[in-house]
C-alpha cells in the first residue's frame, strides 16, 4: 500500500511540474537558452574612433546630416521624375517640416507649415496655399484661386479632369465640430492648369489624386565584418554599412509568444549592447559611429539598423528605430560630389 501511495504521489508531482512548465511556456516566458560565447573585438579595433550616432560629424570623404536632433523624425519619400527626396518631421510647435534634397543629396529647400500639409507628387498642398517642387528648388507658398462650390456631380467631373486633388475634412479643417453637426470639407485641385479651392457644407466623396509615395531603395542590410553580401548587391551599390564590432553586454534568451498574443510573435534570442558601425563608399571607410542600447540577434548576420539608398545612388539614409519610439537617422553623401 505504501509503495502504491508513493507511486501515486510521484505521478502527481510529475503531473504538477508538467502543468506548471506548460503554463510557463504558454505565458511566453523565456526559454532556458544558454548565452553564446561573446564575440571578441577584431584586431586593431579602437572604440574611441566611433562617435555617438546623434553627434557624428562630417569627414573629408562624407558629408553628414544628423536627423535625430530634429523633433519627431517621421518618414521620407522620393519624387522620381525630379530626382528629389523629401523628409517629413514634426516640430516642437506641432507643425510639419519638409526637407528637400536633390539628386546629389544637397538640400534645396524647406517647408514649415500647418500639420495638414500634404504631398501630392511635386506639390505640397496646405489649407492656405500650395508649394511647387522642382529638381533644384521649392517655391514659397502660393495662393489658391477660390471658386464657387459646384454640385456633387460637377465636383466629380472636376476631380476626374484634374491631375491632382485632395480634400480636408473632419478634424483637419479648423472650425469643424462634429458634436454640433458642423463637418465642412475643403477641396483643393489642379484643374485646367490652375490650383482651385472651395468648401462644401458637408463631405462629398471623391478619391484623392497624385498621392504616390515611392520610398528610397532598401539595401541588403547591415552585416558583421567578414560577412559577404550577395555579389550583385556589392556591384550595384556604392554605399554599404558594416557592423564592425558589437560589444555584447546583456543576453536575452528566446521567448515564445504568450498564449493569446494578438501578433503571435515572441522574442528572438539577442544581445543588448553597443554597436560600432563603419560606412563605406566605394569600399573606402568614410565614417564611423556607435549606437548604445543596440540589439544583435542570434541567428542573423547583423542588427536592425536600416540603410536606404537614394534612387540615384548619391547618398544613403541610415535609420535606427528603438522600441520606445525614438528614431535616429543620418544622411550620408559623398563629399567628393562637392568638387564636381
Amino acid at each position: 500500500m505504501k509503495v502504491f501511495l508513493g507511486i501515486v504521489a510521484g505521478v502527481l508531482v510529475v503531473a504538477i511540474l508538467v502543468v506548471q512548465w506548460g503554463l510557463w511556456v504558454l505565458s511566453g516566458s523565456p526559454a532556458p537558452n544558454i548565452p553564446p560565447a561573446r564575440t571578441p573585438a577584431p584586431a586593431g579595433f579602437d572604440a574611441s574612433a566611433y562617435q555617438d550616432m546623434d553627434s557624428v560629424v562630417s569627414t573629408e570623404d562624407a558629408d553628414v546630416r544628423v536627423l535625430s536632433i530634429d523633433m519627431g523624425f517621421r518618414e521620407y519619400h522620393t519624387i522620381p521624375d525630379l530626382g528629389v527626396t523629401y523628409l517629413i518631421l514634426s516640430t516642437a510647435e506641432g507643425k510639419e517640416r519638409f526637407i528637400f534634397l536633390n539628386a546629389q543629396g544637397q538640400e534645396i529647400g524647406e517647408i514649415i507649415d500647418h500639420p495638414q500639409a500634404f504631398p501630392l507628387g511635386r506639390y505640397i498642398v496646405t489649407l492656405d496655399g500650395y508649394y511647387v517642387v522642382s529638381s533644384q528648388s521649392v517655391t514659397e507658398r502660393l495662393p489658391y484661386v477660390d471658386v464657387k462650390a459646384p454640385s456633387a456631380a460637377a465636383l466629380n467631373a472636376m476631380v476626374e479632369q484634374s491631375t491632382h486633388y485632395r480634400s480636408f475634412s473632419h478634424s483637419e479643417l479648423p472650425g469643424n465640430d462634429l458634436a454640433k453637426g458642423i463637418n465642412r470639407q475643403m477641396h483643393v485641385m489642379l484643374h485646367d492648369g490652375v490650383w482651385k479651392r472651395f468648401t462644401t457644407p458637408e463631405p462629398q466623396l471623391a478619391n484623392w489624386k497624385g498621392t504616390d509615395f515611392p520610398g528610397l531603395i532598401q539595401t541588403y542590410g547591415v552585416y558583421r565584418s567578414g560577412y559577404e553580401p550577395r555579389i550583385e548587391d556589392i556591384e550595384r551599390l556604392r554605399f554599404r554599412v558594416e557592423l564592425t564590432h558589437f560589444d555584447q553586454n546583456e543576453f536575452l534568451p528566446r521567448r515564445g509568444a504568450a498564449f493569446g498574443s494578438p501578433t503571435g510573435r515572441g522574442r528572438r534570442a539577442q544581445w543588448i549592447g553597443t554597436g560600432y558601425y563603419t560606412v563605406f563608399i566605394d569600399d573606402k571607410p568614410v565614417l564611423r559611429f556607435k549606437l548604445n542600447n543596440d540589439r544583435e540577434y542570434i541567428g542573423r548576420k547583423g542588427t536592425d539598423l536600416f540603410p536606404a539608398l537614394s534612387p540615384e545612388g548619391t547618398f544613403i539614409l541610415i535609420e535606427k528605430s528603438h522600441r520606445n519610439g525614438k528614431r535616429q537617422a543620418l544622411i550620408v553623401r559623398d563629399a567628393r560630389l562637392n568638387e564636381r
Side-chain angles (χ1 to χ4, degrees):
M1 186 66 177
K2 291 182 179 181
V3 174
F4 174 75
L5 291 176
I7 293 174
V8 171
V11 170
L12 288 175
V13 169
V14 172
I16 291 172
L17 291 175
V18 169
V19 170
Q20 289 180 335
W21 177 83
L23 292 174
W24 182 68
V25 171
L26 289 175
S27 69
S29 298
N33 292 355
I34 300 175
R38 284 179 165 82
T39 305
F45 174 77
D46 180 9
S48 65
Y50 295 76
Q51 303 169 320
D52 287 333
M53 188 175 184
D54 280 341
S55 58
V56 68
V57 297
S58 298
T59 67
E60 180 180 350
D61 300 296
D63 282 339
V64 181
R65 177 159 189 169
V66 179
L67 290 181
S68 45
I69 61 174
D70 291 299
M71 292 295 296
F73 172 62
R74 287 176 47 203
E75 55 187 290
Y76 41 85
H77 301 286
T78 66
I79 309 175
D81 57 334
L82 298 180
V84 169
T85 297
Y86 61 92
L87 316 161
I88 306 177
L89 305 97
S90 298
T91 71
E93 296 77 25
K95 293 187 175 182
E96 291 288 87
R97 180 182 180 189
F98 291 76
I99 299 174
F100 297 87
L101 309 174
N102 64 13
Q104 289 72 45
Q106 299 166 313
E107 184 172 334
I108 58 173
E110 178 179 275
I111 292 173
I112 298 179
D113 210 304
H114 297 299
Q116 294 90 339
F118 191 84
L120 293 179
R122 63 177 63 199
Y123 303 98
I124 307 297
V125 298
T126 74
L127 298 178
D128 302 316
Y130 65 98
Y131 303 83
V132 182
V133 183
S134 69
S135 61
Q136 292 297 328
S137 65
V138 182
T139 66
E140 297 294 323
R141 189 172 65 195
L142 304 172
Y144 297 117
V145 173
D146 289 312
V147 299
K148 183 180 179 180
S151 65
L155 169 61
N156 289 329
M158 290 178 67
V159 172
E160 182 67 26
Q161 296 162 8
S162 68
T163 58
H164 298 73
Y165 166 75
R166 214 281 198 184
S167 62
F168 300 91
S169 59
H170 303 299
S171 60
E172 289 183 313
L173 199 58
N176 274 350
D177 189 335
L178 300 185
K180 297 180 179 180
I182 302 173
N183 189 17
R184 299 168 301 122
Q185 185 176 33
M186 177 184 291
H187 307 262
V188 298
M189 65 179 70
L190 183 56
H191 179 254
D192 290 338
V194 177
W195 273 101
K196 301 177 181 179
R197 175 180 65 177
F198 57 87
T199 301
T200 55
E202 59 185 22
Q204 298 187 30
L205 297 179
N207 293 327
W208 295 351
K209 299 181 71 173
T211 54
D212 291 337
F213 302 106
L216 302 182
I217 302 170
Q218 182 176 356
T219 69
Y220 49 79
V222 178
Y223 300 96
R224 269 191 176 274
S225 301
Y227 177 78
E228 293 294 335
R230 295 179 302 176
I231 295 178
E232 58 268 27
D233 283 337
I234 297 176
E235 293 175 344
R236 180 171 61 87
L237 301 176
R238 295 184 58 221
F239 291 79
R240 63 184 174 91
V241 184
E242 176 184 276
L243 176 61
T244 306
H245 175 54
F246 194 92
D247 187 9
Q248 301 153 326
N249 296 327
E250 177 188 2
F251 178 72
L252 299 180
R254 182 186 63 81
R255 181 172 62 190
F259 182 73
S261 167
T263 63
R265 296 178 181 176
R267 181 183 67 196
R268 299 187 62 146
Q270 59 194 263
W271 284 102
I272 305 296
T274 303
Y276 294 88
Y277 296 90
T278 303
V279 180
F280 292 81
I281 301 179
D282 297 329
D283 288 329
K284 179 181 180 180
V286 299
L287 187 71
R288 294 179 174 87
F289 67 92
K290 65 180 179 180
L291 263 171
N292 298 313
N293 198 31
D294 202 7
R295 294 171 184 266
E296 182 186 36
Y297 299 93
I298 307 301
R300 282 172 47 181
K301 298 298 183 180
T303 68
D304 55 6
L305 195 70
F306 174 80
L309 188 71
S310 72
E312 296 75 23
T314 54
F315 66 90
I316 192 171
L317 187 146
I318 305 168
E319 179 188 351
K320 169 70 174 183
S321 295
H322 297 270
R323 292 174 182 250
N324 62 3
K326 179 183 177 182
R327 295 172 69 183
Q328 297 172 268
L330 301 175
I331 296 176
V332 182
R333 63 185 295 271
D334 188 350
R336 291 171 295 182
L337 293 175
N338 299 331
E339 305 170 359
R340 299 174 184 175

